[in-house]
Amino acid sequence: MSTPVLISDNGSVRTVTLNNPERLNAFAPAGFRALTKALDDAAADSSVAVVVIEGAGKAFSSGVDLRALSEPGADTADFGHAFAPLIVALVEFPKPLVAAVHGVAVGIGLTMLLFCDVVYVAEDARLRAPFTSLGTAPEAASSWMLAKVIGAQRASELLLTARWLSGVEAAEFGLAAAAVPAAGVRARAQETAAQIAGNVGPAVLATKRLLRQGWSEEARAAVAREDDAARELIRELGSFAQGFTKA
């Protein structure tokens, strides 16, 4: 198996690359744990000022690896046990997070962007919050954070319809800072990360804290509500969502 996450440093900018390109960087438990560790390590490393998240191959992330989840003998509970700490790591990450999104960003591939401070998306990227089409509830505090980021009407449309969102729309909606040609999305993210890293570190950290003031508590409360809703849907429907609820 390939390493789920690749790490590289350029000065004080650390790039975390999701590395499951054969499955469009879909997440199995090992991937969730690897990204959580990468974030925790970067948070604790005083030499890291900014983190860029990108995807290897043709996509940013297609979300949960549904094929792995549906395989005979798959430990669905393990998906949830690995997923929950990742959301905590994203909620609590103290340094600027920059994302470079190309290809598809589905499920957690989309919802993790809500925790990123600056997002650049390829113009031809396609994003989707597929939860209602899968018979489960929104995840990763997206039931609260998506409305916070793009507004209640747009969040309701995307979550209720589960429709695809183009990269251009993502920027128009405010989910991304800009939509750029796919060939330049990684470079744009790196340029911005380097610019942030060149500023006064304590001021950068203080600014992020101020911008995100109160989000942690609201996000945690939203996650708890989403967990409850997912459990209720399991009782009503039965669903792969059981992999995302706490034991």
Side-chain angles (χ1 to χ4, degrees), residues 45-91:
D45 190 337
S46 61
S47 71
V48 176
V50 183
V51 171
V52 176
I53 302 178
E54 63 179 28
K58 297 180 179 180
F60 181 70
S61 175
S62 58
V64 172
D65 191 337
L66 298 181
R67 187 163 68 179
L69 188 59
S70 62
E71 288 174 352
D75 185 353
T76 57
D78 194 35
F79 277 78
H81 294 152
F83 181 79
L86 173 59
I87 304 309
V88 173
L90 287 165
V91 168

Side-chain angles (χ1 to χ4, degrees), residues 7 26 123 150:
I7 307 294
E123 293 167 340
I150 70 173

